[in-house]
Amino acid sequence: MLLWTAISLMTGAAILAVLWPLRSRDAEVGSAVEADIAVYRDQLAEIERDRANGLIGEAEGEAARAELGRRILRVAGEAELLRPQRSDFHRRTVAVIALVLLPVAAGATYLALGSPQLGGQPLAARLEGAPQQNDVAILIRKVETHLEANPQDGRGYEVVAPIYMRIGRVDDAVRAWGNAIRLLGSSPQRQTGLGEALLSQSGGVVTADAKAAFQQALADDPSDPKARYYLGLAAEQDGKPQEAAVIWTRLAAESPADAPWQPLLRTALARVGAEPPPPASGPSAADVAAAQAMSPEQRATMVRGMVEGLEQRLAQDGNDIDGWLRLMRAWSVLGDTAKAKAAAGDARAQFAKDDGALGRIDALSRELGLGS
Amino acid sequence: MNPEIGHYALVLALGLALLQTVIPIWGAKVGDAALMRTGSSLALAFCGFVMLAFAVLTVAYVQSDFSVQNVVENSHSLKPLLYRITGVWGNHEGSMLLWVLVLAIFGAMVALFSGNLPATLRANVLGVQGSVGAAFLLFILLTSNPFLRVVPAPAEGQDLNPILQDIGLAIHPPLLYLGYVGFSVTFSFAVAALIDGRIDAAWARWVRPWALAAWAFLTVGIAMGSYWAYYELGWGGWWFWDPVENASLMPWFAGTALIHSAVVMEKRDALKVWTVLLAILAFSLSLLGTFLVRSGVLTSVHAFATDPTRGVFILAILILFIGGSLALFALRAPLLRQGGIFAPISREGALVLNNLLLTASAAAVFIGTLYPLALEAWDGSKITVGAPYFNLTVGALMLPVVFAMPFGPMLAWKRGDLAGAAQRLMTAFGLAILAGAIGLYLHGGGPALAPLGVGLSVFVIIGAIVDIAERGAVGRVPLATSWARLRGLPRASYGAALAHAGVGICLLGIVAETSWNSERIAGVKLGESFEVGGYELTLARVEPRNGPNYRDLVGVFAVRHGGVDEGTIESAKRLFTARNMPTTEAGIRTMWFSQLYVSLGEELPNGAIGVRAYWKPLVTLIWIGSVIMAFGGALSLSDRRLRVGAPRPAKKPRVIEPKMAAAE
């Protein structure tokens, strides 16, 4: 708002600068010839002064006076070049230019070039101000200042390292992860962080250093999916696609079906020519194979786990009618009628305003004998 | 302060500059006084908005507002306040803004101090001035906008080029721009006269002070740039015939010619067309300098960034103004009436000689600077035109200028008496020979021309003194009368004599430094000594020191002369951490007018440190002489006759009445 006030005031001042000289009705132009003659008169006076001071001789003075006299005569003989004019048309044109063209052109140019939505951001104010969510640079700077003063604070490095990665300061990220590991000790998260930073540093190549970091992560936690994925990548880059395929297939099989890295794994597997596991919806082939090898109790537990997973998902995001119907049916099949009824009740509450959905819920309740 | 305010101020200034180009000239064309009057208020408003924009940018630098791209690229929050301010123009965008700011200030001064100028001349002058401002503002806004923003704002800047983090940046560019851009005023006067088709009597007396001011600033600006390069680059050189230096030297030659030919025009109403042409040339060469430096055609410390669109844009501005004004000159110059006649041997004749040689020097520098560029553009072959070419051509041309210098003021206007002038200069001549002999005796080993150079310098210095003494008729009339005459002499006479003496002093420095300097390059370990110019230097210790945004490695040298302890000299290599760039901080000890100069080089594998040491006799006279020249110009500028003598418009009472009414 302040900016627009300032812009308005400035525009007003600029308009005034054009209009002010127009206000006077006096349109007389001083004659150029008069001005010339005035100059020559001054020069004559100066010659007189110089002669009085003895700076030039009598004869020189006389010669100079004669020459100036000739100049005056010549100028006086010149025709008047300029006829003073007065025209309201001129004034009106200029006034329109000042009042309309100037603000419009300036405004349009500024809007095209400027960033009126941005305010000033002096560094001191940014450093002192409340930590805003969006001023990442300042947050980093604060952590850096803190780390300069307390270089042994490993947690500081651990906090800032992923942020460095996010804004592309890869070298700093490598250093920060290295310091975090040095000060806080190794952990799968720190080792994979370091490995990923090294990976970015080398443009996507799993270098020996990066590989060592991932291996260390795996030593700390053999199930760490990131480290396993990147070690697979290392194998692929080493020219051992089969090895990579083995690593990735096992990782895919051992990960939950809806793990976020499953699509990545499928792409990677396709790249090395291995059979990608079936799509993530429903149990994976590995899951099914594992299930077949299980005792009935184990299988029941596994199935129950899957159903509970579905239940949790729906508790978080209930807007999935098919999910609810699947859940009702699952509890019913598992013999837990109470839970099936509860699911039906939750689903009804969720879709209270959706007649079509309510109809389907009622139909399934009847089919499963849950009452309505 | 919100940077956007500065951005809008700049846009508004562009609008005002365009109006300033059109309305006053239109008014002058149709003879409408009201329209012509807008020139002054527009020039003032233009200046105000450019000042505002510059102030806003400066605040952004001082407050380290890293949401401004320009600040991010050229500043650092740890930089000392002075360098945060000077950093504003230590980069391409900011320096162009400074250029326009200086232009705007000159325009405002024309508006303020031209009340007694004929209305049409003033309107045309301000119109032309406005067009220059509009062109450069357009350039800034479209290709070099200092107000562009970054989202999100970084937390730290990339720091200023370390070589520029020096007090020199606070002094050299503003002075140089005052010189360069000052010639825009004389250019505007020249073009205005051509538009009008007539040259008023007031023209010359109005052009001369502007030319003098611009010339004085340019002189000091070049000298300060030279001294800065001398102590910062660590090579002990004070002039490199670098294209960027030449770019400032060309307008200096043209400007020097201009201030002399303007005298002829003012006093004798002669050389009108020539003066107009010189006024155009001086500014054209300034523009050319701006082009060479700013377009990135040349890579040097001055070419902060290279961007082809900028080069093309400046080239277009160059063609528009130089081509346009020269075309106008070709069209209109024949209409200008030629003035007074004079004999070849006369003050005018001497000034014409000066003009011819100075413009020839400018041409020599022009060719030497642009020929390699043109050749490279033509067939891609790279050649270097170096110091030998320039020393030979410019030296050969300046020699007669300097020799003739004491004669000029001795000659009378219209027709002079050369023999008489020579007779009066006998004292100077005698002393010059004596000085040459002393030089030969003291430094027998130098080049054969050195004593001649010393003699010439002394001839010029004493000649200037003789000039003043002659004007006071010292020795020919009673002392009291002489005193009265000397006191009555116009300041312009003292200014001219002082400036001429400054040339002699500068020349003396140049001759002494180039002929008799001694240089020593050595690898020195702790405690080791070496000798240069009769001084014994011992590396006493090497120590690291920390500055705000740099680290120094300081070498401390003990100085002994003839067995006597003369204290220490400290020389440093400075590493700027943000850019990881080293600079040399030469250790300089001034003894009278001579200097002992020590700069540190690389550390050698054997643990020694490379040291370059120079003994530079009378080197400071080069810059002292230049400053004296500029001071002479300033003195001449302050001459009362240029103010008291200016015509006063016959104001009618009714002009005053409305103001009084308003006051009531």
Side-chain angles (χ1 to χ4, degrees), chain B residues 308-634:
Chain B
T309 55
R310 288 174 180 167
V312 172
F313 205 118
I314 301 189
L315 195 62
I317 294 179
L318 210 66
I319 291 168
L320 177 71
F321 283 101
I322 300 180
S325 57
L326 289 179
L328 196 63
F329 178 79
L331 222 61
R332 292 299 191 101
L335 297 180
L336 302 175
R337 197 182 38 75
Q338 287 290 357
I341 46 162
F342 51 86
I345 303 290
S346 63
R347 184 87 66 88
E348 296 93 317
L351 289 170
V352 167
L353 177 72
N354 141 311
N355 268 224
L356 287 178
L357 292 170
L358 283 171
T359 38
S361 302
V365 176
F366 183 88
I367 292 167
T369 308
L370 290 193
Y371 177 66
L373 294 176
L375 196 67
E376 194 183 335
W378 179 252
D379 61 1
S381 56
K382 279 185 191 285
I383 61 158
T384 326
V385 176
Y389 164 83
F390 291 108
N391 287 339
L392 198 65
T393 52
V394 177
L397 286 164
M398 290 312 285
L399 213 63
V401 171
V402 175
F403 183 71
M405 200 184 282
F407 289 94
M410 299 277 168
L411 296 171
W413 291 104
K414 217 162 176 182
R415 56 191 75 80
D417 176 9
L418 190 59
Q423 206 170 17
R424 277 173 276 170
L425 283 170
M426 281 315 282
T427 327
F429 205 66
L431 286 173
I433 291 175
L434 186 65
I438 292 174
L440 193 63
Y441 172 73
L442 288 178
H443 291 276
L449 280 176
L452 277 179
V454 170
L456 188 61
S457 317
V458 172
F459 179 58
V460 171
I461 299 167
I462 305 295
I465 297 169
V466 170
D467 173 33
I468 291 297
E470 279 295 322
R471 280 165 198 266
V474 178
R476 283 187 275 124
V477 294
L479 218 56
T481 319
S482 281
W483 177 239
R485 286 184 66 153
L486 285 176
R487 279 177 36 149
L489 271 183
R491 272 183 244 168
S493 302
Y494 282 114
L498 204 58
H500 284 182
V503 174
I505 291 168
C506 178
L507 183 65
L508 186 60
I510 294 174
V511 170
E513 199 280 327
T514 48
S515 308
W516 296 315
N517 76 340
S518 47
E519 176 180 350
R520 186 70 192 269
I521 298 175
V524 187
K525 288 183 183 165
L526 268 183
E528 281 186 352
S529 299
F530 59 98
E531 183 271 334
V532 63
Y535 288 85
E536 189 190 333
L537 296 173
T538 311
L539 181 58
R541 56 184 192 278
V542 177
E543 57 190 33
R545 284 178 205 167
N546 280 331
N549 55 342
Y550 57 81
R551 279 195 291 274
D552 269 349
L553 185 68
V554 185
V556 182
F557 296 86
V559 184
R560 293 173 75 80
H561 184 52
V564 184
D565 194 2
E566 297 250 11
T568 58
I569 289 185
E570 293 186 352
S571 178
K573 273 196 94 62
R574 181 166 290 180
L575 184 76
F576 284 81
T577 39
R579 291 203 179 191
N580 207 19
M581 241 177 95
T583 64
T584 56
E585 301 296 314
I588 297 175
R589 165 76 69 82
T590 307
M591 290 140 180
W592 289 98
F593 297 118
S594 309
Q595 287 187 331
L596 195 57
Y597 183 113
V598 183
S599 83
L600 289 187
E602 298 302 316
E603 282 177 85
L604 304 174
N606 62 1
I609 192 160
V611 177
R612 287 190 301 276
Y614 306 86
W615 168 247
K616 295 185 164 291
L618 302 186
V619 69
T620 56
L621 289 186
I622 297 171
W623 304 294
I624 293 173
S626 308
V627 171
I628 290 176
M629 272 188 247
F631 186 70

Side-chain angles (χ1 to χ4, degrees), chain A residues 34-262:
Chain A
E34 266 174 40
D36 275 7
I37 290 177
V39 172
Y40 293 137
R41 285 222 184 86
D42 281 346
Q43 287 183 336
L44 275 178
E46 191 181 304
I47 290 166
E48 277 310 311
R49 268 201 307 278
D50 281 0
R51 195 160 63 174
N53 286 341
L55 290 173
I56 53 173
E58 203 65 38
E60 282 169 300
E62 206 50 54
R65 278 162 58 94
E67 185 173 322
L68 278 174
R70 280 197 294 279
R71 287 187 207 168
I72 291 176
L73 284 178
R74 195 180 52 225
V75 168
E78 276 180 18
E80 186 57 87
L81 291 170
L82 201 70
R83 249 165 260 93
Q85 267 194 25
R86 221 172 101 173
S87 162
D88 284 336
F89 166 72
H90 294 152
R91 284 159 194 258
R92 286 202 199 106
T93 313
V94 171
V96 167
I97 290 174
L99 285 168
V100 180
L101 197 60
L102 181 65
V104 169
T109 311
Y110 171 70
L111 286 179
L113 296 174
S115 318
Q117 76 282 6
L118 295 178
Q121 301 174 25
L123 186 62
R126 287 167 71 197
L127 285 173
E128 281 162 17
Q132 292 162 309
Q133 285 294 307
N134 51 6
D135 205 343
V136 177
I138 285 298
L139 291 178
I140 294 177
R141 193 186 155 111
K142 281 183 174 171
V143 175
E144 280 172 346
T145 315
H146 167 80
L147 285 175
E148 261 169 45
N150 311 283
Q152 298 305 313
D153 182 2
R155 266 183 22 78
Y157 293 110
E158 187 162 32
V159 166
V160 79
I163 307 177
Y164 279 145
M165 269 308 273
R166 205 158 63 229
I167 61 168
R169 285 169 65 178
V170 177
D171 294 351
D172 289 320
V174 170
R175 250 194 307 279
W177 280 124
N179 283 331
I181 291 167
R182 179 171 56 81
L183 296 165
L184 300 176
S186 175
S187 84
Q189 189 221 350
R190 288 169 207 143
Q191 292 290 0
T192 51
L194 175 64
E196 280 185 304
L198 288 166
L199 194 72
S200 299
Q201 206 176 27
S202 62
V205 176
V206 187
T207 57
D209 285 347
K211 195 171 170 182
F214 291 129
Q215 278 164 343
Q216 185 57 49
L218 216 54
D220 294 341
D221 173 10
S223 71
D224 188 279
K226 262 189 191 175
R228 291 168 69 187
Y229 168 75
Y230 284 117
L231 284 173
L233 192 65
E236 186 196 358
Q237 287 175 357
D238 282 346
K240 302 170 188 158
Q242 280 87 4
E243 201 175 301
V246 169
I247 294 174
W248 284 333
T249 312
R250 279 191 54 196
L251 176 58
E254 291 169 21
S255 303
D258 54 353
W261 53 85
Q262 289 285 12

Side-chain angles (χ1 to χ4, degrees), chain B residues 105-411:
Chain B
I105 291 173
F106 272 109
M109 278 164 62
V110 172
L112 285 177
F113 302 128
S114 67
N116 39 20
L117 213 60
T120 47
L121 179 60
R122 180 174 50 184
N124 283 331
V125 166
L126 288 171
V128 177
Q129 194 79 8
S131 69
V132 178
F136 275 89
L137 267 192
L138 203 60
F139 171 71
I140 288 179
L141 284 171
L142 292 185
T143 73
S144 319
N145 195 329
F147 288 108
L148 295 182
R149 309 293 294 271
V150 228
V151 179
E156 191 51 272
Q158 297 158 8
D159 209 353
L160 181 65
N161 184 342
I163 291 176
L164 301 177
Q165 292 194 30
D166 187 276
I167 185 74
L169 184 64
I171 300 169
H172 164 63
L175 284 175
L176 198 67
Y177 278 8
L178 282 167
Y180 269 174
V181 183
F183 285 121
S184 73
V185 179
T186 55
F187 171 83
S188 298
F189 268 91
V191 174
L194 291 172
I195 291 175
D196 227 8
R198 87 187 278 275
I199 296 185
D200 302 276
W203 197 89
R205 68 184 319 165
W206 271 99
V207 163
R208 212 168 81 85
W210 294 110
L212 263 176
W215 176 85
F217 282 126
L218 189 58
T219 307
V220 187
I222 295 173
M224 292 304 110
S226 156
Y227 189 62
W228 186 10
Y230 167 78
Y231 71 71
E232 181 69 32
L233 296 182
W235 286 97
W238 46 270
W239 193 262
F240 300 88
W241 293 111
D242 178 275
V244 173
E245 289 171 325
N246 295 345
S248 64
L249 196 60
M250 287 185 277
W252 188 82
F253 279 132
T256 312
L258 176 64
I259 54 177
H260 289 94
S261 81
V263 174
V264 179
M265 187 166 162
E266 188 182 354
K267 297 263 185 184
R268 292 279 300 130
D269 215 21
L271 296 186
K272 279 186 183 177
V273 175
W274 173 244
T275 306
V276 166
L277 181 62
L278 273 182
I280 290 175
L281 281 183
F283 186 58
S284 298
L285 290 170
S286 296
L287 283 180
L288 181 73
T290 309
F291 167 69
L292 287 178
V293 176
R294 287 281 148 266
S295 63
V297 168
L298 308 168
T299 32
S300 79
V301 65
H302 296 80
F304 304 116
T306 52
D307 177 349
T309 55
R310 288 174 180 167
V312 172
F313 205 118
I314 301 189
L315 195 62
I317 294 179
L318 210 66
I319 291 168
L320 177 71
F321 283 101
I322 300 180
S325 57
L326 289 179
L328 196 63
F329 178 79
L331 222 61
R332 292 299 191 101
L335 297 180
L336 302 175
R337 197 182 38 75
Q338 287 290 357
I341 46 162
F342 51 86
I345 303 290
S346 63
R347 184 87 66 88
E348 296 93 317
L351 289 170
V352 167
L353 177 72
N354 141 311
N355 268 224
L356 287 178
L357 292 170
L358 283 171
T359 38
S361 302
V365 176
F366 183 88
I367 292 167
T369 308
L370 290 193
Y371 177 66
L373 294 176
L375 196 67
E376 194 183 335
W378 179 252
D379 61 1
S381 56
K382 279 185 191 285
I383 61 158
T384 326
V385 176
Y389 164 83
F390 291 108
N391 287 339
L392 198 65
T393 52
V394 177
L397 286 164
M398 290 312 285
L399 213 63
V401 171
V402 175
F403 183 71
M405 200 184 282
F407 289 94
M410 299 277 168
L411 296 171

